[in-house]
Structures are given as structure tokens and as C-alpha cells.
């Protein structure tokens, strides 16, 4: 069964360091999402791609976060510099083209900032 | 704006008990409504959905009915199992929005 792949599963870093997360969506899925899930809360959208184009990054803290999906397939989310408040689970999801609400999630990348 | 409110957890039940997890939303127009589930150590997965008023979504014994009068989409199951222990998220997709808005999640613990 096709899955959304994310790496690393766990990342511990010190504040002010740079960190990057990678996501490989299900083959053929044109839409890719990055969500952030703080412990005990629901996921919050950071950025949404349609193919290689950003369609929504209104909640992405652009002073420190960046995301790209250069060839419209896999994607990288970067944080530089990391802050204590960035400790969270970073979730990647993909879906077929269009906003159907039927998302397929990866297992997530858990970030701890010390 | 668009928002969703779920009942707080944890909800602790004995096996075979009846489950209700409440979800209400505010949104412009009539959104599509979804329940996602997150089992321990796994990613979120779609449980069920309803796309218009009075629709009933169902899957794995769970049901939820889209009630536009009360702007609710409560999740129910007649007889829970230990394997249903997970965190459940209500998520509307508002008209004109491109992505889901997730509730804060409700943790269900089912005891044998």
C-alpha cells in the first residue's frame, strides 16, 4: 500500500540551529501539505502545494520557516533558526488534485528544540 | 471565521460501551465534514466523511450525521473495542477553503 514517507522520524536540536524535514508523497498526488501539531492540539496548516506551486502559506512563519517542492514531487520544510516554541510534530500529507479533504498522512517528524 | 470545537478528553469507556464524541463547527456556507483518527504510533487517517446536510458517513462501525441545523457532526459507535483506543479529530473543509481545519482532538481509551 502506498504511503507518505517522512524523515527523520525524530530530531533533537538546539535553539538557533537549522533543521530540515523531508516528505515524499504518494505517487500521483498533486497536492502536498505540511501541518504542525503541538502536543495535545490538532494539526495546523503551515503550507499547501499544488504541484510545485504554493497555494497557501498564510500561516507559515516566513521569517524562519521555508518550504519548497521544486519538481512537484517531494518536499522539504526548513526551520532556521529553530526556537524552543518550534517543538512539535511536523506532519506531511498528500491528496489527489483538488481540495477534497481526503488526505493521506505520513507518520510525522517529531522535533524537540533544547 | 472557521472553527471547530470538540469535546475534551480523555474519554474512558469499557469495552462494548456506546461512544459519542461531540463536534460542532462554525463556517461560512455548508462545509464538507470529516473525522480523522490517529492510532498510537501511526499517522492520521481518514475515518469517515459527509459532504452535504443530512448525509451520514460510516466506517468500521463508526457513524456521524451532518446536522446543518445544529452545525454538528458527532461521532458515534454502538460498541467500542480496545482497538478503537486512539485520538479522534473532527475537521471541516469550509466552502472556498483549500485545506482542512482540525479540532483539538479527543482521546478515547477503551478498557477491557
Amino acid at each position: 500500500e502506498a504511503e507518505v514517507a517522512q524523515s527523520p522520524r525524530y530530531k533533537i536540536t538546539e535553539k538557533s540551529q537549522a533543521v530540515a524535514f523531508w516528505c515524499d508523497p504518494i505517487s500521483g498526488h498533486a497536492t502536498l501539505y505540511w501541518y504542525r501539531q503541538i502536543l495535545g492540539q490538532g494539526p495546523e496548516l503551515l503550507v499547501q502545494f499544488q504541484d510545485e506551486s504554493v497555494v497557501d502559506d498564510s500561516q507559515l512563519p516566513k521569517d524562519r520557516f521555508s518550504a519548497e517542492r521544486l519538481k512537484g514531487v517531494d518536499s522539504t520544510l526548513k526551520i532556521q533558526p529553530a526556537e524552543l516554541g518550534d517543538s512539535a510534530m511536523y506532519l506531511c500529507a498528500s491528496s489527489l488534485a483538488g481540495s477534497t479533504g481526503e488526505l493521506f498522512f505520513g507518520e510525522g517528524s517529531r522535533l524537540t528544540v533544547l | 471565521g472557521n472553527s471547530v470545537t470538540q469535546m475534551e478528553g480523555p474519554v474512558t469507556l469499557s469495552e462494548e460501551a456506546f461512544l459519542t464524541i461531540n463536534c460542532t463547527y462554525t463556517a461560512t456556507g455548508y462545509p464538507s465534514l470529516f473525522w480523522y483518527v490517529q492510532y498510537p504510533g501511526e499517522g492520521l487517517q481518514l475515518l469517515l466523511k459527509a459532504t452535504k446536510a443530512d448525509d451520514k458517513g460510516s466506517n468500521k462501525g463508526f457513524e456521524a450525521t451532518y446536522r446543518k441545523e445544529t452545525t454538528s457532526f458527532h461521532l458515534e459507535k454502538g460498541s467500542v473495542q480496545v482497538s478503537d483506543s486512539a485520538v479522534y479529530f473532527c475537521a471541516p473543509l469550509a466552502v472556498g477553503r483549500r485545506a482542512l481545519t482540525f479540532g483539538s482532538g479527543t482521546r478515547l481509551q477503551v478498557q477491557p
Side-chain angles (χ1 to χ4, degrees):
Chain A
E1 184 175 314
E3 295 182 343
V4 175
Q6 288 190 247
S7 67
R9 286 293 308 279
Y10 304 93
K11 178 69 176 180
I12 300 174
T13 191
E14 294 185 344
K15 63 179 181 180
S16 80
Q17 296 299 303
V19 62
F21 303 109
W22 176 80
C23 172
D24 191 13
I26 292 173
S27 178
H29 281 194
T31 308
L32 185 147
Y33 311 78
W34 284 101
Y35 279 86
R36 177 170 59 185
Q37 185 178 18
I38 296 171
L39 191 64
Q41 299 182 19
E44 296 178 309
L45 181 70
L46 291 174
V47 61
Q48 179 182 350
F49 290 92
Q50 182 70 29
D51 299 310
E52 66 276 6
S53 300
V54 173
V55 296
D56 187 351
D57 63 355
S58 57
Q59 300 304 308
L60 187 71
K62 298 181 187 64
D63 56 335
R64 298 184 300 108
F65 285 65
S66 64
E68 60 184 15
R69 193 184 184 198
L70 293 176
K71 297 183 179 180
V73 180
D74 59 338
S75 176
T76 302
L77 177 70
K78 297 179 180 177
I79 308 174
Q80 182 172 17
E83 296 182 352
L84 296 177
D86 296 332
S87 295
M89 180 77 84
Y90 289 84
L91 303 173
C92 180
S94 69
S95 68
L96 294 169
S99 301
T100 65
E102 297 188 31
L103 275 57
F104 294 80
F105 282 85
E107 294 183 329
S109 295
R110 181 169 295 283
L111 173 65
T112 301
V113 181
L114 303 176
Chain B
N2 303 311
S3 66
V4 54
T5 302
Q6 288 184 234
M7 63 187 291
E8 290 191 17
V11 174
T12 302
L13 297 174
S14 298
E15 209 164 20
E16 300 183 3
F18 184 85
L19 168 72
T20 300
I21 299 178
N22 292 337
C23 170
T24 57
Y25 64 89
T26 59
T28 302
Y30 299 107
S32 296
L33 300 171
F34 301 81
W35 277 99
Y36 277 77
V37 58
Q38 189 172 30
Y39 297 104
E42 299 184 16
L44 278 82
Q45 55 186 273
L46 177 64
L47 180 60
L48 55 81
K49 68 174 184 178
T51 57
K52 61 183 186 294
D54 300 324
D55 266 3
K56 178 183 286 187
S58 62
N59 186 26
K60 299 182 180 181
F62 291 88
E63 294 182 339
T65 301
Y66 189 149
R67 303 286 189 198
K68 69 175 182 178
E69 312 82 27
T70 54
T71 61
S72 65
F73 193 53
H74 304 323
L75 184 67
E76 297 181 334
K77 187 174 186 180
S79 177
V80 294
Q81 305 300 311
V82 173
S83 58
D84 294 326
S85 298
V87 182
Y88 293 82
F89 295 91
C90 183
L93 178 63
V95 175
R97 294 275 301 190
R98 300 175 184 269
L100 295 168
T101 300
F102 285 90
S104 57
T106 303
R107 180 174 299 278
L108 170 65
Q109 298 173 337
V110 181
Q111 299 175 338

